[in-house]
Amino acid sequence: MKILYVTDLHGDKNKYRKSLEIAMKQEIRVIVNGGDMLPKLGERHTEQPLFIKGFLSNYFSILQEHNITYLNMLGNDDLLSVDNLFEQTCGGFANVHNIAGKKICIDEYEFIGMNQILDHPFGCKDRVVTETDYIPQRQLSFFAGISNEYGYDRIFDWLEYSKTELPLMCGILKELPEPESPKKTVYVMHMPPAGLHLGQLLYQDLDIGSVDIYEFLKAKQPLLSLHGHIHESPDTEKGSWMNQIGTTTCIQPGQTEFGDSSMVYAEIDLKSGAMHEEL
C-alpha cells in the first residue's frame, strides 16, 4: 500500500490541492497529514473555524469523490478550541479520520496519531507537554496562554506552570492505543524524536526532539514513524529527513514556508519499503 505524507501546511490551500493532484497522478489512495493544518497568520480564532467549515469540508468531499482516504490531526499551531469542530467535520465523511490519540486500520496496516509537543518559544501553549529532565526553551514571547473559544487563558508564570501542571510526554504515549502488529504499524507524531536530527533548528545548533518519543519508538519498534513540526530541519547543516531507531524508519520531510509555490512531501510504499522525498 502506498501513502502520501504531508505535514505543516498551515492553511495553504495550494498545497492541499497539490497533494490531491499528486495522489491522483501517482494512484495513491491514502494521504496522511501530520498536523499544523490550519491558518496561523491573522486572527486564528476567526480564521481557523472558517477554514474548517469552508475549505476543509469541501476538500474532504472532493477526496471522497476520488475514493481517497485522509488521515489527519491538528498540531500545536491549530487551536485547542477548534478540536470539537474539527472532530465533527471529519466525522461527516467516511473517508476522513482524525487520528489524534486513535488507531485507524487500513488493509493490514495500523495508523496511530499523537499531536502533543514539547515546549516552544511562542505564546500559544496549546498541546504543550513536558518530560523528565526537560529544559524549557528560551521564550521569545512575554505572553503565554492556552486557547479558549474566544481568546486565551493567560498563564502569568509559564516556567513554574510548565514544571508543575503539564503532563509528561511518556504518560501521553502510554495512553495511546496498542498496536496489534508493530511491524505493520505507522505512528504519526507531530513532534520528532530526539537524537536523530529530525528536529534540528536553523537559528540554533540544537535538536529539540523528544527523548520520550525516541525511547517509545525504540521499545515499540513499529514499521514507520512520521513527524513534522520543525519546517527547516531537513535543510539545516546537521538535519535529515529520514533516520532509523533500530528497525523503525523515522521520516520528517519538513515544509516550505507559507505561500511558497513548492511543497515538500514523502511518497511511501509500506509493503516494499520504498520511499522518497519530493520538493
Side-chain angles (χ1 to χ4, degrees):
M1 185 176 76
K2 293 196 296 184
I3 66 172
L4 178 70
Y5 178 57
V6 298
T7 187
D8 296 275
L9 301 188
H10 289 290
D12 191 323
K13 297 177 182 178
N14 289 328
K15 290 179 181 177
Y16 276 96
R17 296 185 185 107
K18 186 170 290 187
S19 61
L20 173 58
E21 292 170 2
I22 294 165
M24 292 174 61
K25 181 179 179 180
Q26 301 296 335
E27 298 183 340
I28 295 173
R29 292 301 173 192
V30 178
I31 300 175
V32 181
N33 189 320
D36 278 356
M37 296 179 60
L38 310 178
K40 69 172 184 177
L41 301 177
E43 176 45 60
R44 296 188 199 185
H45 282 81
T46 300
E47 294 182 7
Q48 291 193 0
L50 289 176
F51 187 84
I52 294 171
K53 290 185 285 188
F55 179 82
L56 267 190
S57 182
N58 183 62
Y59 185 73
F60 292 163
S61 180
I62 295 171
L63 290 168
Q64 189 171 49
E65 291 173 7
H66 292 285
N67 195 30
I68 293 175
T69 297
Y70 203 73
L71 308 180
N72 59 170
M73 63 186 187
L74 300 181
N76 61 284
D77 276 326
D78 305 324
L79 298 177
L80 276 170
S81 56
V82 302
D83 277 9
N84 289 338
L85 175 61
F86 180 73
E87 176 69 22
Q88 292 168 8
T89 303
C90 292
F93 299 89
N95 62 311
V96 179
H97 303 277
N98 176 11
I99 62 172
K102 301 175 185 176
K103 178 171 69 173
I104 302 297
C105 299
I106 302 177
D107 295 338
E108 71 266 40
Y109 295 98
E110 302 171 79
F111 295 82
I112 300 173
M114 194 284 296
N115 60 352
Q116 279 87 356
I117 65 161
L118 297 180
D119 194 12
H120 54 75
F122 305 108
C124 180
K125 300 299 184 179
D126 287 2
R127 308 183 208 282
V128 169
V129 300
T130 190
E131 58 189 14
T132 305
D133 300 324
Y134 178 71
I135 301 174
Q137 295 181 58
R138 179 174 61 87
Q139 296 298 299
L140 302 179
S141 173
F142 292 109
F143 167 84
I146 297 174
S147 73
N148 57 47
E149 186 177 358
Y150 303 104
Y152 296 90
D153 294 321
R154 183 77 181 268
I155 299 169
F156 290 94
D157 189 345
W158 171 251
L159 185 59
E160 180 62 25
Y161 182 93
S162 68
K163 291 177 180 178
T164 59
E165 300 296 329
L166 293 180
L168 293 173
M169 179 68 82
C170 61
I172 299 294
L173 296 170
K174 188 177 181 180
E175 293 298 316
L176 291 177
E178 282 291 331
E180 295 291 330
S181 175
K183 295 305 178 185
K184 291 189 177 181
T185 297
V186 178
Y187 282 97
V188 185
M189 299 181 173
H190 192 60
M191 186 79 189
L196 302 184
H197 301 293
L198 301 179
Q200 198 75 27
L201 294 177
L202 179 63
Y203 60 91
Q204 298 180 45
D205 183 14
L206 184 64
D207 177 353
I208 66 165
S210 165
V211 173
D212 285 353
I213 290 177
Y214 179 94
E215 294 297 333
F216 177 85
L217 295 173
K218 181 180 177 181
K220 293 291 186 182
Q221 288 292 279
L223 172 67
L224 189 68
S225 68
L226 304 175
H227 309 276
H229 188 40
I230 308 301
H231 298 202
E232 74 273 16
S233 182
D235 296 323
T236 61
E237 184 177 351
K238 294 183 180 179
S240 175
W241 74 276
M242 181 171 65
N243 213 326
Q244 295 286 136
I245 303 177
T247 60
T248 298
T249 300
C250 307
I251 293 177
Q252 206 286 67
Q255 193 51 260
T256 58
E257 289 307 304
F258 182 85
D260 191 319
S261 59
S262 59
M263 181 186 72
V264 186
Y265 60 95
E267 291 183 31
I268 305 164
D269 190 319
L270 298 180
K271 189 171 184 179
S272 71
M275 59 189 72
H276 65 276
E277 182 191 40
E278 294 281 352
L279 176 60

